[in-house]
Amino acid sequence: MKAAVFYGPNQPLKVEEVPMPVIGAGEVLVKVAACGLCHTDIGYIDHGTPTFKKPPLILGHEISGTVFEVAPDVTTFKVGDRVLSPAVFACGECNPCREGRGNTCENMKMPGNDVDGGYAEYVKAPANNLFHLPDEIPLIEGAIIADAITTPFHAVKNRSGVKPGDKLLVFGCGGVGLNLVQIANAAGASVYAVDIMQLKLDKAKELGAVGTFNPKDYPDDKSFVKAVKKATGGAGVDIACEVIGNPKTLETAFNLVRNGGRLVIVGYPPSPMTLNASKVMYREMEVVGSLGCSLQDYPKAIEMVRNGKIQLVPMVTKRFSLDQINEGLDFLRSGEGIRSVVCP
Ligand code: NAD
């Protein structure tokens, strides 16, 4: 089969012939319809973030497709079924899995990180981690549910503590951040959005943001913080979600949370950073991380897409063929699109 293989940082993915995956007990072979291009892959390719499996590795963790083959012991799927493969496979047995927090599974396996992923014609997945995609959800655009929608779903529903009427500030309106805007809006929050690209801010408004801010419009961080505070009532926001992964914007987001409020870290900073712990103490702030989404929440996110509470199709900007994958990664680097997919 054809796949785009990662051989190491600072070099393009190599599109080449590789052996077809061989399924074992409990597994399903999926013919990939689409795989989302995610900033996390840029981390491996451009910033040297190590993958758990050493290269060569097929990247890609946002996968939709149709079932091509099932192991004899699999009864829940049949050839031809439309499926969504989650961004992380959970074991279902460790303590976090038993507590319903399989997104932090002790034995998690991420396609395109621990095992070969979806920038390929075929990928294998454990049947007990796969989801049926309803007919109303288009197969290609549906791929982005596996991360760009489930990640903000978990961040909003389980980690932000948002209540109707809360002021929630989203830093970074990319593939994940814009979906966070629409999910937080659906949860009844007054959503404010920050980005350095006007077209992302325009999209955030379309998706329900009541206010938008471009840090480039301000001479320095201090005046930016002052302006956002003024526009959001003076005290700071109830919740700030950082969805960029930049230590600098994480610090700014932290400074914009009101006393007793919460900072949710969704972005993946490539390097360690410091936060003022004494401010966490005397302002009684909460700083929480948010990773992916547990399997039990996938059906809820899929249902929000199916019934139109989450817009899906407009969130996919471009489609690339497998041969065009490096072009697709460049488009992701440019920041111009929301989410783009590779269609092998
Ligand atoms: P993206 O590139 O699509 O979006 C990033 C957005 O941030 C862009 O719109 C960009 O214009 C904006 N931005 C960049 N620098 C900025 C700045 N200084 N100020 C304001 N805005 C700025 O990326 P994405 O795919 O949405 O991913 C966002 C982050 O989330 C990445 O760090 C990624 O690794 C991480 N991520 C985390 C999880 C998780 O489970 N927590 C899952 C997926 C992605």
Side-chain angles (χ1 to χ4, degrees):
M1 69 167 185
K2 211 194 238 187
V5 184
F6 171 65
Y7 278 94
N10 302 313
Q11 49 185 305
L13 301 184
K14 201 169 163 197
V15 180
E16 59 188 3
E17 283 295 321
V18 299
M20 284 277 279
V22 178
I23 55 169
E27 290 184 330
V28 168
L29 187 63
V30 176
K31 187 173 186 336
V32 178
C35 184
L37 288 159
C38 176
H39 204 98
T40 303
D41 297 321
I42 300 292
Y44 309 136
I45 301 167
D46 292 2
H47 307 302
T49 306
T51 51
F52 282 109
K53 176 185 176 288
K54 284 209 174 84
L57 171 73
I58 302 168
L59 302 181
H61 54 268
E62 219 176 44
I63 306 162
S64 63
T66 46
V67 173
F68 189 75
E69 187 187 349
V70 291
D73 61 336
V74 172
T75 55
T76 43
F77 293 92
K78 60 180 190 323
V79 172
D81 282 352
R82 309 162 86 248
V83 289
L84 178 74
S85 174
V88 168
F89 303 142
C91 75
E93 287 163 16
C94 66
N95 283 335
C97 278
R98 278 204 290 257
E99 286 167 2
R101 297 183 71 172
N103 58 319
T104 60
C105 171
E106 288 165 5
N107 307 303
M108 73 167 74
K109 294 268 180 284
M110 181 174 175
N113 186 359
D114 299 88
V115 294
D116 281 335
Y119 296 151
E121 289 177 296
Y122 298 88
V123 68
K124 65 178 181 176
N128 61 4
N129 275 250
L130 272 187
F131 294 93
H132 288 276
L133 262 187
D135 287 342
E136 300 96 316
I137 298 181
L139 195 55
I140 288 182
E141 285 84 1
I144 73 159
I145 297 173
D147 187 10
I149 287 179
T150 49
T151 292
F153 180 91
H154 172 67
V156 171
K157 299 280 181 184
N158 303 321
R159 303 302 286 158
S160 74
V162 69
K163 301 182 298 304
D166 277 351
K167 291 178 181 132
L168 187 148
L169 183 66
V170 183
F171 263 76
C173 298
V176 179
L178 278 174
N179 283 306
L180 205 147
V181 168
Q182 57 171 336
I183 295 167
N185 184 47
S190 290
V191 183
Y192 297 85
V194 177
D195 206 287
I196 46 177
M197 297 184 79
Q198 191 55 42
L199 64 103
K200 302 292 183 75
L201 295 175
D202 294 343
K203 194 73 201 168
K205 273 209 167 141
E206 271 176 45
L207 293 167
V210 293
T212 58
F213 307 94
N214 187 337
K216 287 186 169 169
D217 293 342
Y218 301 87
D220 52 35
D221 198 52
K222 211 172 158 188
S223 53
F224 170 73
V225 168
K226 201 172 157 194
V228 178
K229 277 200 172 161
K230 190 173 171 211
T232 55
V237 294
D238 301 296
I239 301 151
C241 298
E242 204 274 0
V243 200
I244 302 167
N246 179 337
K248 181 80 194 57
T249 47
L250 260 165
E251 192 179 348
T252 308
F254 176 80
N255 289 330
L256 276 164
V257 175
R258 69 163 169 80
N259 290 3
R262 186 176 287 202
L263 171 67
V264 185
I265 303 176
V266 185
Y268 186 178
S271 52
M273 62 170 292
T274 51
L275 275 184
N276 189 335
S278 62
K279 277 194 186 169
V280 175
M281 180 276 284
Y282 71 72
R283 294 173 55 205
E284 286 212 345
M285 289 178 59
E286 292 177 61
V287 179
V288 303
S290 186
L291 174 67
C293 181
S294 292
L295 295 181
Q296 76 269 13
D297 281 343
Y298 269 70
K300 296 176 206 162
I302 291 171
E303 177 54 19
M304 280 185 80
V305 173
R306 196 197 62 76
N307 66 24
K309 288 202 174 131
I310 297 176
Q311 289 186 39
L312 175 73
V313 174
M315 309 309 283
V316 178
T317 313
K318 277 197 183 192
R319 298 177 183 189
F320 295 90
S321 70
L322 205 47
D323 287 320
Q324 297 170 315
I325 191 161
N326 290 302
E327 211 180 292
L329 289 164
D330 281 343
F331 184 64
L332 176 62
R333 288 180 186 101
S334 78
E336 284 168 35
I338 301 175
R339 201 61 153 188
S340 295
V341 294
V342 168
C343 302

